Amino acid sequence: MAHGGAGTRAMTAMQRTCLADALVTGYEVLGRGASSVEAVEMTIRVLESSGLFNAGVGSRLQLDGVRRMDASIMEGRTLRAGAVAGIQEVRHPIAAARLVMEETEHVLLVGEPATRFARYFKLKSDRQPFPGRVSFKLLRAQQASGPTRKTLNLYRAMRVRPTVGLETVGAVAVDRSGTVASGASTGGIALMLPGRVGDTPLIGCGVYADNGGGAVSMTGVGEGIIRLAVAKEIVDRLAAGASPALAARLVLNKLVTRIRGAAGALVLAPDGRFAIRHTTPRMCAGWWTGTGSPVVRDRFR
Ligand code: ASP
């Protein structure tokens, strides 16, 4: 399963095609007998290199004009996890996250040292042109769950200009051995102060994977997702016996009622049951089980 972000905008035909390609890529990886971690990384790589989503080469700029990206990956058998935050000029932040998981004793690397770490492992670099600027007024109109007036005033005082981009990406998979994995990669949200980090690289918030429950990859406004540690709570509910649909519904309802958050979730159990749910008007996502064509839509309920 893969997603291309939750929000208000309808998915484009190119995004639909790209998500279907990413699903096929991930499924083929699993078909060769590779791990769910490998499938998640390869699925997300397709989305990161497309330029059609807010991740990898399509990432938004922060308000100082710098593109800083976040990504994470987790494996459900050993509970190993890796993540990067505020990494720059790397084509595949998800690959850097996996290297943190597999080549270090750590879970999260941030900022310039994370970029140097990626260089050390010779990950492809990426220097993309600026994706576009819009007025505060337009952004405010576009963002249902956008920043408060206080934040906007702060941005103005700092003389920073807002930017828009596309959507965060993520994937979950289960391999032949029954091991689940999840991952996510993002350029963040619109109107980000420099240095802002969302849920995506935070284990338990943007992603979680445990063979005892399942795998979750989140998208949406990271600040709310962090405050409820949403991914971990969904997995805990799976472990306690809830179905993927029920676990997602209960936790997303809590997100909305307690703190008026906005999010979407991919939820996968080790036995293959899954759910896609969102509190936003749309979520660009899909799945493929190897028969027929991949299913990709921008609304699930
Ligand atoms: N969750 C991401 C963040 O807050 C954004 C998104 O999913 O669109 O950085």
Side-chain angles (χ1 to χ4, degrees):
M1 296 166 76
H3 73 74
T8 51
R9 262 187 289 171
M11 171 170 59
T12 65
M14 280 167 76
Q15 287 176 323
R16 180 187 299 274
T17 306
C18 182
L19 259 177
D21 286 350
L23 288 165
V24 170
T25 300
Y27 192 83
E28 282 175 359
V29 168
L30 291 172
R32 292 200 300 268
S35 68
S36 50
V37 164
E38 177 76 4
V40 164
E41 180 187 342
M42 292 307 147
T43 303
I44 291 178
R45 272 178 178 250
V46 173
L47 302 169
E48 285 177 334
S49 52
S50 70
L52 299 170
F53 297 93
N54 173 26
V57 309
S59 293
R60 286 193 176 95
L61 305 190
Q62 292 193 330
L63 289 166
D64 57 355
V66 178
R67 179 181 279 112
R68 297 182 183 88
M69 298 163 286
D70 306 329
S72 64
I73 194 160
M74 183 164 188
E75 189 253 353
R77 188 177 64 83
T78 59
L79 303 185
R80 285 182 315 158
V84 289
I87 196 168
Q88 292 178 40
E89 295 180 352
V90 172
R91 195 174 178 85
H92 294 298
I94 192 68
R98 184 172 174 187
L99 284 166
V100 172
M101 175 171 84
E102 292 182 347
E103 302 294 334
T104 79
E105 302 297 316
H106 311 310
V107 170
L108 174 61
L109 292 185
V110 303
E112 211 272 318
T115 307
R116 261 189 286 140
F117 173 81
R119 295 270 172 281
Y120 176 80
F121 282 98
K122 303 204 170 10
L123 291 187
K124 257 195 206 154
S125 77
D126 179 60
R127 289 188 181 86
Q128 288 287 311
F130 187 79
R133 289 176 188 273
V134 296
S135 70
F136 281 109
K137 221 170 143 189
L138 179 59
L139 266 173
R140 202 159 165 70
Q142 277 182 349
Q143 284 208 304
S145 53
T148 60
R149 182 164 301 281
K150 190 171 148 199
T151 313
L152 284 172
N153 287 340
L154 177 62
Y155 294 158
R156 286 199 187 99
M158 291 176 72
R159 293 183 192 289
V160 288
R161 300 182 65 190
T163 64
V164 281
L166 298 163
E167 296 85 6
T168 290
V169 305
V172 294
V174 58
D175 60 28
R176 284 179 189 167
S177 73
T179 288
V180 292
S182 60
S185 179
T186 190
I189 54 171
L191 289 168
M192 280 178 294
L193 286 176
R196 178 266 185 192
V197 173
D199 60 300
T200 305
L202 303 182
I203 304 304
C205 300
V207 302
Y208 204 73
D210 182 347
N211 284 2
V216 171
S217 177
M218 296 300 302
T219 170
V221 182
E223 282 70 6
I225 298 170
I226 292 169
R227 287 161 64 201
L228 288 189
V230 169
K232 176 71 160 64
E233 181 158 354
I234 294 176
V235 172
D236 284 349
R237 286 179 187 262
L238 293 173
S243 67
L246 179 65
R249 182 156 56 80
L250 291 174
V251 181
L252 290 181
N253 282 351
K254 181 173 162 190
L255 180 74
V256 173
T257 53
R258 287 294 303 274
I259 58 172
R260 292 170 60 200
L266 292 183
V267 184
L268 176 65
D271 63 8
R273 287 173 304 143
F274 65 87
I276 301 174
R277 283 195 84 90
H278 49 102
T279 69
T280 47
R282 293 175 191 274
M283 177 169 171
C284 174
W287 71 88
W288 198 38
T289 52
T291 48
S293 335
V295 177
V296 179
R297 300 207 301 261
D298 66 6
R299 271 183 214 272
F300 300 82
R301 288 292 159 175

